[in-house]
Amino acid sequence: MEITCHSCGHVIRFNESVPRFCEQCGEQLNLNPSPADAPTILAEHRTFRAADTATETRSDDRIIGRYRLGKSLGHGGMGVVYEATEIETGRRVALKLLSSGLARDKSAVDRFVREGQLAAQVSHPRTTFIYEAGEHTGQPFIVMELMPGRTLEDELTEQGHLPVGRAVDHILDVIDGLIAAHQLDVIHRDVKPSNCFLDTDGRVKVGDFGLSKSLVTDVSLTRTGSFMGTPLYAAPEQIRGGPVDQRTDVYAVGATLFTLIAGKPAFEGDAMSVTAQIVSDAAPSLRSQVDKVPRALDRIVARTLAKDPDARFQTLGDLRHALLPFSHRHRSLVEVARRSAAYMIDYLMISTLVQVVSGLAGAYIGARSEFLGDPESLGSQVSTLIFISGVIGWVGLFVYFAVGDGCFGRTLGKRLMKLRVVDADGQPPGMWRGCVRSFIIPGALAIPMIGLLLRFNLNPDALRLVNMELVMRSWLFDRATEWLPVLICLITMRHTNGLRGIHGIVSGTRVIRIDDLARRNLWIHLPTLEARPVTEDAPETIGPFRIRGVLAREGPVSVLLAKDESLDREAWIFRFPTSLGTLQKRADVNRHGRLRCLQHGEIDGDSWYAYQTVDGAQFSHAAGQTDLFCWENTRQAVLDLACELRASLGDGSLPQQLSIDQFWIERSGAGKLLERPLPSSAGSGSELTGDEPAEQRAYHMLDSVFQLILEKQILPERVRQFIAEFAARPKNAETISWIVEQLEASSEKLASINWDTRLGVLGATVGIEWVVFSGFTLFSMYFYFAAIGLLPIWKMIVPVVVLSLVFFAIGYWLRGGPVFQFMTIDVQNRQGGLASRWRCGFRNLIAWLPLAVCMSCTAALAAVSFDLMERRQNENSNQLISEEAGLGIEQDSTIMLTLAVIAVVFNLVMYVGALYSIVRPQRGIQDLMVGTRLVPK
């Protein structure tokens, strides 16, 4: 037997028990008859729906407001959605009409109005757009964006189920749209495949906010005896009528993903059976339905379908991070350079702390010991100090990474580099996995500790006498055993294994990049438009809009600030004499890069067009924000403009007049193209005439934007090159498409040098160049002193000069240094071109000269110290200290003090230079001295 829902028209099939709720829309059927009465009930429902059915059959002849209804697109929980056409402009929209049976129900009308208001608040590329709301002959309606493609439910019907990668890509689009709603404290409560619409580019938009709930206003419009949502995708607390929050949408998203991959919902049966299963039964495993599903993805989906909201992902952002590795579109795993930089930041910080602790331990041992008079005690005490330092260093690094990566998912370095360590479920891996990961990197499989124990315990006689050769051999062994596993892990990172090294594979962890889930409000200090009071003779309302002020006016043309009371949304109204032309041909544009036309009409001989507002400023005005006007923050806006120009050329909707003043940037970083500039700013930019062909107007529009960027921004060399190539290309649509392709291809590349990027450069520099250069310097100094012997301190200029030449040659050869090549950074001159090799050489020399002096002093200090120790040991063994020897010891002490002071001073110079480069990331001290700056390649 079957029953048709009076609300949504869904046919419900059942055997014995008559369902109480519709499994599709959740409306209460209020039926509890015996099976014998089912045919009568079915007839009653068909009679109840007769009026609506008749309306659908003659919908082509109906006029609702300014729209002519077309075919029915489907039934929702509260009404029927039609394809409609705006009579005057021909714009095709989707019009949702409240069912005539519910139009008499005040609570249903309130929910319907609330749907329009909540949906209108959310303006995001991954949500459908609401144009207007109104009432026709007592029947409320909502006009929204008509999606040209199908829904995910249609795609499922045709294909049965979707591949894992494509299903995850679709769900990530859904999550992005819902996150925008959640940021406004709006909960959707009805996420399902039929409410996820495919756009022409294959991307998904979330629609139908009919059951949405605002957590701010806390308006309770739930009908007694029914729950809000679709049973197949409703969370247990939603079915019980309990409180809902973000985790309710997390459940629905997980249930939708399950359906997309498995080809059927997690729970099946009639409505009563499904609701009972959702409340009481555990969801089946996704792998039980599809064998090829990764186990990690199976666990993620199972977690979203948990009965207890506390056991689910607490936010959609957390779920998004967990799903990113399974996406074919998104790259969640970061480049090796950023991960290396994070590691070096942590390593430098902990190593510095270990050196301080070891120094304090050494001072304590020296203060408590009387070993200078005992030659055998000298070697023992120094060896003990070396052993203690090694133990403290190894244990400190191991514990720091184990706790940071395991318990918190990120160390300080990873936090600065916006990285996170996660397990297969996208969560912090826990202490056990953190220990396994840390045991390999930086623990180096405990090889340094084993070597240290062997040297300390198995050869005590060799440690009684301290000499420079032993120390250098120990230093070389420690560095090799410490860094060899790191190099092995780097070598094993491949795209086929998710860029995971041995430590990630063995511990079952991975590193992901923490992207911003929504564009940040970057341009918070943009100048805002202030509305002036309207004159007394001005109308209080235009159409459904209440006028609140005047934003701009020039002659008969004005831009008014208004508010749509029905949707509780502000709008801009362009009012101008009808003789100046109309904008009707371009009112049908439904793209995110263009201001949406909400309504239009005529008043007192003038035409008026209401548009959505722009929360931002003109792009040319944003150029004054020097701290924010960089390529990283403007690239997306320029891409939005290029995409809009390409689309406008394709459908003929390009504005007749174009100037840079029509290009606006929102506080989120998105770009918007206005139909015409604001009157007060018209002519401030390079306005173009309408006599040129459309392709040339679009080309000149982009050229004006690029010229402003070249004037105001420090650009990566690759950007300057493609702008120069753009200027040389033909002024046609193919060039506009080429610009879009270039900008999209550069979206994953480094766009600017900011403080965290420079910090990453410093971290990689410490891990690569500093280790290599300091080791090279120490060994050079060792062999220098070993071959020539101790020299007067002023003759140390010889090795310093030799090392300086080496640093200059490296900078000259690599145009800046090895790390710059590794992290794709260029050195530019003041004019914006590549700096000459000579400048790069001198820059590298200045950067590393303090290290050369510091390491030379350190090596000399070690040589003097060991020579002093040997002489003291020899004098003590003879039980006689001559007057000449005493003077020599005193002189050596003075030399040691001088060398120590020089080393400390130049060490401080290095730290000050590093801190200054973080504050001024594009121009460090060495850049100021040689006239260079850093930009991405």
Side-chain angles (χ1 to χ4, degrees):
M1 292 177 289
E2 60 184 32
I3 294 177
T4 302
C5 174
H6 68 277
S7 177
C8 68
H10 178 67
V11 178
I12 307 167
R13 295 177 176 84
F14 61 94
N15 295 323
E16 297 180 359
S17 300
V18 179
R20 295 178 54 197
F21 300 98
C22 172
E23 64 185 17
Q24 184 67 21
C25 70
E27 285 294 319
Q28 184 181 16
L29 300 178
N30 292 324
L31 301 172
N32 191 20
S34 64
D37 297 330
T40 303
I41 296 169
L42 180 59
E44 291 176 355
H45 274 269
R46 286 175 176 168
T47 302
F48 182 83
R49 283 191 46 81
D52 284 345
T53 305
T55 299
E56 294 171 24
T57 58
R58 64 174 185 272
S59 61
D60 288 338
D61 300 326
R62 290 194 64 189
I63 303 296
I64 300 294
R66 299 179 292 111
Y67 302 91
R68 184 184 301 276
L69 298 187
K71 63 180 179 180
S72 172
L73 299 177
H75 298 79
M78 303 184 67
V80 185
V81 181
Y82 298 95
E83 181 179 340
T85 304
E86 190 174 16
I87 298 174
E88 186 175 354
T89 65
R91 177 170 66 178
R92 296 169 63 243
V93 297
L95 190 147
K96 186 172 185 178
L97 193 63
L98 183 65
S99 298
S100 57
L102 295 176
R104 296 182 294 271
D105 186 340
K106 185 179 183 304
S107 64
V109 174
D110 290 341
R111 290 202 309 276
F112 192 79
V113 172
R114 189 63 181 159
E115 169 189 359
Q117 293 176 341
L118 292 178
Q121 294 177 23
V122 185
S123 179
H124 190 272
R126 303 273 67 86
T127 59
T128 55
F129 188 80
I130 301 297
Y131 289 107
E132 63 175 292
E135 184 179 298
H136 182 77
T137 62
Q139 202 167 9
F141 65 88
I142 298 173
V143 180
M144 56 192 126
E145 177 183 1
L146 177 65
M147 296 301 299
R150 305 162 298 169
T151 66
L152 292 185
E153 186 175 39
D154 298 329
E155 194 170 14
L156 272 178
T157 302
E158 294 178 3
Q159 302 185 25
H161 66 89
L162 303 184
V164 169
R166 195 188 333 160
V168 171
D169 287 341
H170 288 335
I171 289 299
L172 288 174
D173 284 342
V174 173
I175 289 175
D176 287 343
L178 292 175
I179 286 176
H182 286 186
Q183 289 176 337
L184 298 173
D185 293 307
V186 174
I187 309 302
H188 192 285
R189 297 202 294 179
D190 197 22
V191 180
K192 56 186 177 182
S194 60
N195 282 344
C196 301
F197 302 91
L198 285 166
D199 210 340
T200 52
D201 58 358
R203 303 294 296 273
V204 176
K205 293 187 177 184
V206 183
D208 198 352
F209 282 76
L211 301 180
S212 301
K213 178 182 179 65
S214 172
L215 299 180
V216 175
T217 57
D218 195 26
V219 176
S220 177
L221 299 174
T222 305
R223 297 178 63 185
T224 303
S226 65
F227 66 87
M228 308 298 287
T230 301
L232 289 174
Y233 305 95
E237 67 271 16
Q238 197 172 357
I239 291 177
R240 298 189 189 101
V244 298
D245 53 25
Q246 295 188 26
R247 298 170 296 181
T248 304
D249 282 349
V250 168
Y251 183 98
V253 169
T256 301
L257 179 59
F258 187 104
T259 302
L260 295 181
I261 297 176
K264 58 182 180 180
F267 300 103
E268 296 182 286
D270 56 40
M272 291 294 293
S273 174
V274 168
T275 54
Q277 292 176 67
I278 291 175
V279 172
S280 60
D281 297 345
S285 167
L286 185 56
R287 282 179 60 84
S288 67
Q289 310 297 319
V290 182
D291 295 336
K292 296 183 179 180
V293 173
R295 295 184 183 277
L297 181 59
D298 185 25
R299 289 193 292 269
I300 291 172
V301 174
R303 186 177 175 189
T304 63
L305 299 179
K307 306 300 178 190
D308 184 2
D310 292 336
R312 301 174 203 150
F313 293 95
Q314 297 303 290
T315 67
L316 284 169
D318 294 337
L319 176 58
R320 184 179 186 271
H321 289 148
L323 291 176
L324 279 174
F326 306 99
S327 169
H328 287 172
R329 184 190 306 136
H330 294 74
R331 292 185 57 84
S332 63
L333 299 170
V334 300
E335 66 277 9
V336 176
R338 182 172 286 268
R339 292 171 61 177
S340 301
Y343 176 78
M344 296 311 166
I345 292 172
D346 290 323
Y347 182 85
L348 175 63
M349 180 183 64
I350 299 301
S351 297
T352 302
L353 181 62
V354 167
Q355 290 176 7
V356 172
V357 174
S358 300
L360 294 176
Y364 176 78
I365 292 176
R368 302 281 295 184
S369 302
E370 299 292 342
F371 63 85
L372 288 180
D374 184 0
E376 293 188 0
S377 176
L378 174 62
S380 176
Q381 293 290 344
V382 173
S383 300
T384 301
L385 177 59
I386 294 175
F387 176 76
I388 293 174
S389 300
V391 171
I392 293 175
W394 191 89
V395 172
L397 283 171
F398 175 82
V399 172
Y400 172 78
F401 279 91
V403 174
D405 290 343
C407 297
F408 302 102
R410 56 205 318 196
T411 57
L412 177 61
K414 292 183 177 66
R415 181 179 293 276
L416 292 174
M417 291 292 101
K418 300 177 182 178
L419 307 179
R420 178 179 293 173
V421 180
V422 297
D423 58 13
D425 297 332
Q427 298 301 303
M431 191 62 188
W432 167 245
R433 293 181 185 273
C435 288
V436 173
R437 181 183 175 91
S438 182
F439 185 73
I440 302 174
I441 301 294
L445 303 175
I447 296 176
M449 281 296 297
I450 296 174
L452 190 62
L453 289 171
L454 290 175
R455 294 200 307 273
F456 187 75
N457 293 321
L458 299 183
N459 193 14
D461 293 334
L463 297 176
R464 286 177 181 163
L465 294 177
V466 180
N467 57 73
M468 195 168 184
E469 181 180 358
L470 174 62
V471 173
M472 298 304 288
R473 285 205 314 264
S474 300
W475 186 89
L476 178 62
F477 176 81
D478 292 340
R479 298 290 79 77
T481 55
E482 185 175 3
W483 290 103
L484 186 60
V486 175
L487 295 177
I488 294 175
C489 285
L490 291 174
I491 293 173
T492 56
M493 290 181 181
R494 308 227 190 288
H495 287 288
T496 54
N497 65 10
L499 291 178
R500 291 195 296 174
I502 294 177
H503 58 316
I505 297 173
V506 174
S507 62
T509 60
R510 63 183 184 273
V511 180
I512 63 174
R513 176 85 174 267
I514 305 300
D515 297 320
D516 292 333
L517 303 181
R519 293 178 186 171
R520 297 171 296 165
N521 287 332
L522 295 171
W523 307 93
I524 55 176
H525 300 300
L526 284 180
T528 57
L529 293 176
E530 295 184 2
R532 302 191 301 272
V534 296
T535 58
E536 295 182 358
D537 58 342
E540 293 184 359
T541 60
I542 295 181
F545 301 95
R546 181 171 297 278
I547 306 303
R548 302 180 60 183
V550 179
L551 294 174
R553 175 174 290 165
E554 184 176 349
V557 180
S558 61
V559 179
L560 309 175
L561 177 64
K563 184 173 184 179
D564 184 350
E565 301 289 350
S566 62
L567 291 177
D568 193 24
R569 177 176 64 184
E570 289 188 340
W572 287 355
I573 296 182
F574 286 75
R575 181 179 178 180
F576 52 90
T578 305
S579 59
L580 296 181
T582 64
L583 306 177
Q584 293 180 3
K585 293 181 180 180
R586 292 180 289 276
D588 195 18
V589 177
N590 296 329
R591 294 184 294 268
H592 190 71
R594 194 78 159 263
L595 280 192
R596 308 288 187 113
C597 181
L598 307 177
Q599 296 187 42
H600 62 88
E602 292 187 1
I603 179 173
D604 298 334
D606 290 345
S607 296
W608 63 268
Y609 287 80
Y611 289 90
Q612 68 177 121
T613 60
V614 180
D615 184 21
Q618 290 176 340
F619 191 78
S620 56
H621 290 175
Q625 304 291 320
T626 55
D627 293 338
L628 291 173
F629 198 72
C630 62
W631 182 244
E632 181 180 20
N633 294 342
T634 58
R635 175 179 56 188
Q636 183 60 48
V638 177
L639 175 59
D640 291 341
L641 174 64
C643 290
E644 176 54 39
L645 292 176
R646 181 179 63 176
S648 299
L649 290 175
D651 62 11
S653 63
L654 191 71
Q656 190 66 25
Q657 297 286 335
L658 273 181
S659 78
I660 196 173
D661 297 315
Q662 292 167 248
F663 179 34
W664 285 57
I665 184 169
E666 292 186 315
R667 298 186 194 278
S668 64
K672 292 285 188 182
L673 178 63
L674 273 62
E675 195 61 44
R676 59 176 61 200
L678 296 186
S680 59
S681 64
S684 61
S686 55
E687 188 163 339
L688 310 175
T689 67
D691 299 332
E692 294 179 312
E695 294 181 350
Q696 294 186 19
R697 298 203 308 272
Y699 179 94
H700 288 151
M701 176 75 169
L702 274 178
D703 185 60
S704 299
V705 172
F706 284 141
Q707 292 304 317
L708 178 62
I709 290 174
L710 284 172
E711 177 185 348
K712 298 290 186 178
Q713 293 186 6
I714 299 175
L715 296 174
E717 183 61 26
R718 68 175 188 277
V719 178
R720 300 177 67 91
Q721 290 177 357
F722 95 75
I723 291 178
E725 186 175 351
F726 163 77
R729 293 177 69 92
K731 301 176 182 179
N732 53 29
E734 287 74 15
T735 297
I736 306 299
S737 298
W738 176 82
I739 282 291
V740 173
E741 294 171 359
Q742 293 294 314
L743 292 174
E744 289 178 340
S746 66
S747 60
E748 294 295 330
K749 296 180 181 178
L750 189 63
S752 65
I753 306 295
N754 46 35
W755 73 269
D756 60 335
T757 305
R758 191 59 187 270
L759 189 60
V761 172
L762 289 175
T765 299
V766 171
I768 299 175
E769 296 186 34
W770 187 84
V771 171
V772 175
F773 289 167
S774 61
F776 173 75
T777 302
L778 284 176
F779 276 104
S780 299
M781 292 295 102
Y782 166 68
F783 288 114
Y784 181 79
F785 290 123
I788 300 178
L790 291 177
L791 297 172
I793 189 170
W794 64 268
K795 291 187 177 181
M796 284 182 53
I797 190 69
V798 177
V800 172
V801 170
V802 173
L803 289 171
S804 299
L805 291 176
V806 172
F807 294 144
F808 175 85
I810 293 175
Y812 182 92
W813 175 42
L814 297 176
R815 282 191 177 274
V819 169
F820 289 173
Q821 301 297 320
F822 184 55
M823 299 192 72
T824 65
I825 293 175
D826 275 333
V827 181
Q828 288 186 351
N829 55 32
R830 289 190 178 96
Q831 290 72 36
L834 284 178
S836 65
R837 292 185 181 273
W838 287 96
R839 283 182 184 269
C840 294
F842 281 114
R843 184 192 181 281
N844 201 56
L845 169 61
I846 295 173
W848 290 107
L849 183 61
L851 175 69
V853 176
C854 185
M855 290 295 102
S856 298
C857 291
T858 301
L861 182 62
V864 174
S865 300
F866 285 123
D867 181 71
L868 178 60
M869 290 179 185
E870 290 178 358
R871 281 192 286 131
R872 283 193 172 188
Q873 290 172 350
N874 293 332
E875 295 289 345
N876 287 333
S877 64
N878 296 328
Q879 299 295 320
L880 177 65
I881 300 180
S882 64
E883 182 178 353
E884 181 179 353
L887 292 175
I889 292 175
E890 183 178 352
Q891 183 180 5
D892 287 343
S893 300
T894 304
I895 293 175
M896 290 173 61
L897 179 61
T898 304
L899 291 173
V901 170
I902 295 175
V904 169
V905 169
F906 278 89
N907 200 34
L908 289 176
V909 169
M910 286 192 296
Y911 277 102
V912 170
L915 292 175
Y916 183 85
S917 66
I918 295 175
V919 176
R920 298 291 301 274
Q922 294 180 340
R923 304 200 70 186
I925 294 177
Q926 60 270 35
D927 295 295
L928 294 175
M929 296 179 68
V930 300
T932 57
R933 61 190 178 193
L934 303 183
V935 296
K937 285 186 180 294

